[in-house]
Amino acid sequence: MHARSYLTLILAATLAVLTGCGSDAAKETPPPLVRTMTVGDAAASEAGYTGTVQCRYETRLAFQVGGQILARNVNVGAHVRAGDVLMVIDARDVQQQANATNAGVAAALSRYELARTERARYEQLYAAQAISEAMLDQYRTNERAAEAAYRQAVAQDSASRNALGYTNLVAGADGVISNITAEEGQVVAAGQTVMTLTQEGEIAIAVPESRLAEISVGMPASVALWATGAALTGYVREIAPAPDAASRTYSARIALTDAPADLPLGMTARVRLGESAESGAVIPLSALYQTGDTT
């Protein structure tokens, strides 16, 4: 009886242990393994270039006549339109010159009309055989000389009136004023640079020798501005034929097809070239499945 009790206790303890082990095994079953991948930009795995926004055209503006600057209508960084008046110089001296040439036209016209009248009168005298042909030739020559002097006076007057219009410095194209080198009250000479107008922002990148063969003119490009995150598109417009002497890299210019009018010069950008520059996403092939003819 005593031995049977011990056997019963041993069996009960064994069953309890087995039951407990079964519960722990059920609780500690590891989760199934799942392979994941983050879907990202197709160009993220492709190497790119760091570039800066630079202008395609830089025009140094100057007055075509000299004088004292009376007004400056724009500041550095201003966006201007073609035809805007940027600066004005004193037009008084130019106006006096225009007045003088206008008076010269009137005087030359009077001399020309007198020479023409005299030539007609002496032709009548020659027809009446009152004078010699040599004298008539002299008055004909006087008329031609007076006509030439009149035409010269008209041309000078036209130039003076054009100069009067040159007292306003006018923007020849849309752009941004990137530099100003003259102020109000300053006397400037004709042809002296007073402003710089930049046009059409584009991206300049440096291409190492080892990757020069990978790019070509016309290749598509995607541009991301680091400061604003704006995404732009463009293409390789030109590649320098010779490398920079210091860096031994080739300069390339990326023309932008959708650049905003207020694109800041000097801003840093990330440039990716080629077909990988186009937008898209990368997913694993195993994530695709086919239903009928549709993937």
Side-chain angles (χ1 to χ4, degrees):
M1 184 68 178
H2 192 69
R4 183 178 299 176
S5 298
Y6 277 119
L7 181 60
T8 303
L9 290 175
I10 292 172
L11 290 175
T14 303
L15 289 173
V17 170
L18 292 176
T19 304
C21 290
S23 300
D24 292 341
K27 292 180 180 179
E28 296 177 1
T29 301
L33 296 177
V34 178
R35 179 176 297 177
T36 64
M37 179 177 180
T38 302
V39 177
D41 186 1
S45 62
E46 300 293 333
Y49 300 88
T50 300
T52 56
V53 179
Q54 298 183 6
C55 63
R56 180 172 181 177
Y57 303 107
E58 187 176 79
T59 306
R60 292 176 173 83
L61 305 179
F63 287 100
Q64 293 182 249
V65 293
Q68 184 181 38
I69 298 176
L70 296 181
R72 174 169 67 84
N73 301 329
V74 294
N75 297 316
V76 173
H79 294 266
V80 299
R81 297 291 224 175
D84 289 351
V85 178
L86 309 178
M87 271 188 181
V88 179
I89 62 174
D90 192 350
R92 288 179 295 180
D93 292 341
V94 182
Q95 181 64 63
Q96 292 301 324
Q97 180 66 26
N99 295 340
T101 56
N102 187 48
V105 170
L109 179 60
S110 297
R111 289 191 292 269
Y112 173 49
E113 290 177 346
L114 176 61
R116 185 169 53 185
T117 301
E118 289 181 341
R119 184 265 309 160
R121 182 184 304 116
Y122 276 85
E123 281 186 344
Q124 293 176 357
L125 293 175
Y126 176 75
Q129 297 183 350
I131 60 172
S132 64
E133 185 177 1
M135 184 173 292
L136 176 61
D137 289 341
Q138 179 181 351
Y139 283 95
R140 286 174 175 172
T141 301
N142 291 343
E143 180 190 11
R144 288 193 293 269
E147 181 182 5
Y150 169 69
R151 294 182 182 278
Q152 182 180 11
V154 169
Q156 290 176 346
D157 182 58
S158 178
S160 296
R161 294 193 177 280
N162 290 341
L164 190 61
Y166 297 151
T167 57
N168 290 339
L169 183 63
V170 178
D174 298 350
V176 178
I177 301 299
S178 60
N179 190 29
I180 297 177
T181 58
E183 296 296 337
E184 294 181 10
Q186 182 176 342
V187 177
V188 295
Q192 177 182 342
T193 300
V194 295
M195 286 186 180
T196 302
L197 177 68
T198 59
Q199 307 168 54
E200 294 188 24
E202 60 183 10
I203 310 299
I205 62 174
V207 182
E209 297 178 354
S210 59
R211 301 182 63 181
L212 184 62
E214 300 175 6
I215 69 173
S216 60
V217 174
M219 177 180 290
S222 67
V223 178
L225 300 180
W226 281 1
T228 64
L232 307 173
T233 59
Y235 61 92
V236 179
R237 183 179 65 82
E238 68 176 17
I239 304 172
D244 180 76
S247 63
R248 304 305 302 171
T249 58
Y250 290 79
S251 175
R253 292 294 185 115
I254 310 300
L256 301 175
T257 57
D258 53 357
D262 57 349
L263 183 64
L265 298 177
M267 184 170 284
T268 306
R270 186 69 173 174
V271 179
R272 302 186 186 280
L273 302 177
E275 296 300 329
S276 62
E278 298 180 358
S279 60
V282 175
I283 62 175
L285 184 61
S286 58
L288 300 178
Y289 70 94
Q290 187 166 350
T291 302
D293 294 333
T294 303
T295 302

